[in-house]
Amino acid sequence: MTLRALPSVDQVLRDDASRTTLERFGRTATTAAIRVSLEEARGAAQGGAPAATRADIARAAERALEAQDCASLRPVFNLTGTVLHTNLGRALLASEAIDAAVETMRDAVALEFDLSTGQRGERDDHLRELICELTGAEDATIVNNNAAAVLLALNTLGAGRDAIVSRGELIEIGGAFRMPDIMMRAGVNLVEVGTTNRTHQKDYRAALHAQTGLILKVHTSNYRIAGFTAEVDGRALAAIACKAGVPLLNDLGSGTLIDLTAYGLAREPTVRETVADGADLVTFSGDKLLGGPQAGFIVGRKDLIAAVNRNPMKRALRVDKMRIAALAATLKLYRDPDRLAERLPTLRLLARKRAEIAAQAQRLLPRIASTLGASICVESCECESQIGSGALPLDTLPSAGLRLTAANGHALERLVSALHALPRPVIGRVKDGALLLDLRCLEDEENFVKTFAALRPDALA
Ligand SMILES: *Cc1c(COP(=O)(O)O)cnc(C)c1O
């Protein structure tokens, strides 16, 4: 075939096969995609391939546009066993929160407008009362995430001054959030006291002087020191801070508003307890155990919250109307604790019992096995889930799932890739030479089976 046999861009554009492509993607994008497809066809023809027809080029262009159009930020099945998976977007929102957020996206809202006076209002007004009611704090404000909350609180309380913190609490959490670095960027001088495993009241007292801006306590949520240990609890530390006339900032990390033991989970200090123990400011996340959108809470003394709000950095860290609406709707669910586990997905998933998940595994086993074909072996299994996001890392939750094994490591890799390539990707965990699908976070069973049916067994063999 000669190169002349290839159609022109214009001929492909006018071909019937391009009609729907033009409707879906518009003239500019379609023309550009046809040009690229023609270029590829020219290369293939030079390599000896038969010349492509107009329809071939049109279809290739459409496929390329479809691939470009496919969102990379798309829903997946989180079967990793980590409920609050930072890389998979942490908390799933309650439908009340989703509806509230969507409403603010479509319309103008009274975000900073006091409807009773017609005067300018504050965006925190939509949340302040709710947060204070649920935490017992005097006042509250919201920023982009807890990292921002810590940064802003540190900068407000201690810029140019000392912040005293225990050597046992200088944590790193994922994503390069290291407490010493954040303190430096907040402009406070880090004064470490105690040792890695033991810090005493006298250590804090000895470090206090005229240059002290604050005492910082960090909830070591993502690791635990065991053995010969000592730490000063929040209440004792509050007494020391109060006597010295410096504020105590307590970074709770995940932060929970309720006693989690009621749902079979390990104990975490609640925000209310931390406030009651005398912390002057407390910071915590919106999208960890609380189960809302990404956000950072700063709650505590009225005068200190006012100072936080006067800090020019506040503006750079503030949240938008969608998240304020979602947060308010999420927090309102906490007013009805009896129905909380039913309505708040994070709690609902964390509270699922192994027996229930195991029954689900039994139900799914034959349906999944039949779509996978003979080359993949599927069994039900018991496994351990994690809360995730650094919360209670040593306390796993008894769970169950499906264990997929292949003939060899190579075949297992192909299976993992094929599951990631599904329209709604299935993300599991490779462990001991098998792909483990922890079913704790699987609620949409029918869709899951349908998704699996799109796998081609021949691609796995
Ligand atoms: C998770 C965590 C943070 C950061 O919170 P983000 O909401 O991820 O910004 C800060 N401090 C502690 C102790 C944490 O666990």
Side-chain angles (χ1 to χ4, degrees):
M1 276 290 177
T2 63
L3 293 183
R4 252 200 219 116
L6 281 174
S8 69
V9 172
D10 218 44
Q11 284 171 324
V12 180
L13 263 176
R14 283 200 307 265
D15 195 271
D16 248 13
S18 288
R19 211 178 50 232
T20 54
T21 315
L22 275 166
E23 273 168 21
R24 287 174 66 191
F25 301 104
R27 178 161 295 269
T28 307
T30 305
T31 309
I34 289 171
R35 275 218 175 85
V36 173
S37 299
L38 270 172
E39 207 51 55
E40 280 164 9
R42 194 164 290 126
Q46 274 162 353
T53 64
R54 293 175 197 187
D56 291 338
I57 301 289
R59 273 195 295 273
E62 183 173 29
R63 275 197 302 276
L65 286 168
E66 275 171 351
Q68 271 176 24
D69 199 44
C70 180
S72 55
L73 182 60
R74 61 183 197 267
V76 302
F77 287 103
N78 171 14
L79 306 188
T80 59
T82 301
V83 177
L84 295 167
H85 199 301
T86 299
N87 304 139
L88 299 181
R90 291 197 184 159
L92 312 182
L93 297 202
S95 53
E96 289 82 353
I98 296 165
D99 293 346
V102 167
E103 204 159 61
T104 68
M105 289 186 217
R106 288 216 182 85
D107 287 304
V109 291
L111 180 63
E112 293 181 349
F113 188 90
D114 187 333
L115 292 167
S116 57
T117 62
Q119 308 279 304
R120 188 168 191 277
E122 276 179 48
R123 57 184 70 202
D124 283 341
D125 291 346
H126 306 286
L127 294 162
R128 184 177 292 115
E129 247 176 75
L130 255 171
I131 299 171
C132 293
E133 172 191 324
L134 295 167
T135 63
E138 273 175 27
D139 203 354
T141 188
I142 304 294
V143 287
N144 179 57
N145 58 6
N146 189 39
V150 174
L151 180 73
L152 184 60
L154 281 170
N155 180 265
T156 305
L157 300 181
R161 313 183 71 187
D162 291 353
I164 303 174
V165 60
S166 161
R167 289 197 169 89
E169 297 175 2
L170 288 172
I171 57 158
E172 170 181 313
I173 57 166
F177 180 96
R178 295 176 137 193
M179 202 43 95
D181 298 341
I182 292 292
M183 293 173 79
M184 194 174 74
R185 291 299 173 132
V188 306
N189 310 316
L190 166 60
V191 175
E192 303 173 31
V193 297
T195 61
T196 306
N197 58 325
R198 288 172 72 83
T199 303
H200 306 282
Q201 296 196 20
K202 61 174 192 266
D203 297 325
Y204 287 99
R205 286 204 196 95
L208 283 162
H209 60 91
Q211 265 309 300
T212 306
L214 73 144
I215 296 178
L216 170 67
K217 184 162 181 63
V218 185
H219 183 49
T220 54
S221 47
N222 63 353
Y223 80 110
R224 201 170 291 164
I225 296 175
F228 186 53
T229 64
E231 71 166 312
V232 180
D233 66 36
R235 183 171 298 188
L237 206 48
I240 292 171
C242 182
K243 188 151 173 249
V246 298
L248 169 66
L249 168 63
N250 195 332
D251 175 25
L252 273 186
S254 192
T256 175
L257 299 176
I258 48 165
D259 177 8
L260 294 170
T261 57
Y263 302 92
L265 302 167
R267 246 198 72 75
E268 270 276 284
T270 66
V271 178
R272 183 181 287 283
E273 287 162 359
T274 310
V275 169
D277 277 348
D280 297 290
L281 287 182
V282 181
T283 55
F284 55 100
S285 276
D287 56 351
K288 292 185 181 174
L289 284 170
L290 196 138
Q294 181 187 301
F297 292 75
I298 309 175
V299 309
R301 258 168 56 189
K302 210 171 195 62
D303 59 327
L304 299 181
I305 295 292
V308 165
N309 284 328
R310 283 194 305 270
N311 189 327
M313 275 166 59
K314 169 79 192 293
R315 172 62 191 260
L317 303 171
R318 75 181 185 186
V319 291
D320 61 290
K321 60 180 181 174
M322 293 173 258
R323 282 197 277 163
I324 289 174
L327 273 174
T330 304
L331 291 174
K332 278 182 196 154
L333 299 179
Y334 280 88
R335 284 180 163 158
D336 183 1
D338 298 338
R339 282 195 293 164
L340 189 60
E342 195 184 302
R343 296 157 91 192
L344 194 69
T346 299
L347 197 57
R348 184 167 73 227
L349 296 174
L350 288 173
R352 285 187 77 194
K353 296 276 177 281
R354 174 178 272 165
E356 179 201 334
I357 306 170
Q360 183 181 28
Q362 289 306 333
R363 265 196 314 277
L364 287 170
L365 177 64
R367 304 178 73 186
I368 297 304
S370 70
T371 64
L372 280 171
S375 68
I376 307 290
C377 169
V378 190
E379 326 157 83
S380 60
C381 66
E382 293 194 335
C383 54
E384 302 290 327
S385 313
Q386 285 216 334
I387 295 176
S389 287
L392 306 168
L394 304 184
D395 300 291
T396 55
L397 313 169
S399 187
L402 298 174
R403 192 170 175 273
L404 279 53
T405 42
N408 52 48
H410 199 64
L412 189 71
E413 263 172 45
R414 270 206 306 274
L415 171 65
V416 171
S417 307
L419 292 177
H420 289 182
L422 288 169
R424 177 158 176 175
V426 174
I427 318 282
R429 173 159 50 109
V430 173
K431 189 169 176 262
D432 304 330
L435 176 64
L436 186 63
L437 304 180
D438 184 326
L439 298 180
R440 172 172 298 277
C441 296
L442 180 65
E443 295 199 302
D444 190 356
E445 247 174 69
E446 282 319 305
N447 228 339
F448 179 65
V449 172
K450 244 186 245 156
T451 297
F452 249 85
L455 268 182
R456 294 203 337 268
D458 55 311
L460 305 173

